[in-house]
Amino acid sequence: MASERLQLLDERVSAYLGEMDLQPEQSEEGLHLFKYGSTVVMVSLFEQDEDSYCRFASIMLKEFEPSLELLQRVLRLNTEVLFGSFLLFEDGTLSFSATLLGNNLDYDEFDKTLRYVAQVSDDYDDELQSIGGGKRAVDVLA
């Protein structure tokens, strides 16, 4: 059962998404999901100790081959992005993610972070797919 703090953050996030004219699908796990270009962005909320957080994550590739060239490019991109990071998972998933403190989350911060995660993911998924193969998020959903 979600705490009152997390419920308030969820209401705020839903209102912000409405202000942005985004109508995401809501998953059974409480994630807000929407398509942006060739990626899918997920907004999730969670708590740690006395704080709430809002995480923006975009799955860029599934079932890719983790080559040295791909790993070097991902490490290089992690030094070039303004904030957030590219993440490689053992199940063959590559994503880009950024997390904000949710306690006093404001609209501008939310809007800019969501758009940045979506844009970075959309900008680099084709390049990273050409290096590592795999399927882009839109290919998996199709």
Side-chain angles (χ1 to χ4, degrees), residues 50-69:
E50 298 298 314
D51 295 312
S52 62
Y53 295 89
C54 181
R55 176 167 292 149
F56 306 85
S58 179
I59 295 174
M60 298 174 65
L61 294 177
K62 297 284 283 178
E63 302 171 16
F64 65 91
E65 291 296 322
S67 66
L68 181 58
E69 181 184 6

Side-chain angles (χ1 to χ4, degrees), residues 68-126:
L68 181 58
E69 181 184 6
L70 179 66
L71 296 175
Q72 288 174 328
R73 183 64 180 138
V74 166
L75 288 172
R76 180 70 177 160
L77 287 172
N78 272 336
T79 67
E80 295 174 1
V81 293
L82 297 174
F83 60 92
S85 60
F86 291 87
L87 308 166
L88 299 168
F89 295 96
E90 291 176 1
D91 70 350
T93 301
L94 171 66
S95 70
F96 183 72
S97 175
T99 304
L100 297 175
L101 184 63
N103 297 350
N104 298 304
L105 184 65
D106 68 32
Y107 176 78
D108 288 336
E109 182 180 34
F110 179 89
D111 176 61
K112 288 179 180 167
T113 302
L114 185 135
R115 291 182 192 281
Y116 186 71
V117 167
Q119 187 65 53
V120 166
S121 298
D122 192 49
D123 286 350
Y124 291 104
D125 65 345
D126 289 331

Side-chain angles (χ1 to χ4, degrees), residues 6-71:
L6 208 53
Q7 289 173 347
L8 290 172
L9 179 57
D10 187 53
E11 291 170 12
R12 184 178 305 139
V13 165
S14 294
Y16 290 167
L17 290 168
E19 284 183 53
M20 295 172 70
D21 290 325
L22 295 174
Q23 298 176 349
E25 295 180 25
Q26 184 126 12
S27 75
E28 292 178 11
E29 296 84 23
L31 300 172
H32 301 275
L33 305 162
F34 67 94
K35 186 177 172 284
Y36 181 94
S38 57
T39 65
V40 175
V41 178
M42 298 172 285
V43 179
S44 61
L45 310 175
F46 62 96
E47 292 179 297
Q48 178 73 37
D49 300 322
E50 298 298 314
D51 295 312
S52 62
Y53 295 89
C54 181
R55 176 167 292 149
F56 306 85
S58 179
I59 295 174
M60 298 174 65
L61 294 177
K62 297 284 283 178
E63 302 171 16
F64 65 91
E65 291 296 322
S67 66
L68 181 58
E69 181 184 6
L70 179 66
L71 296 175

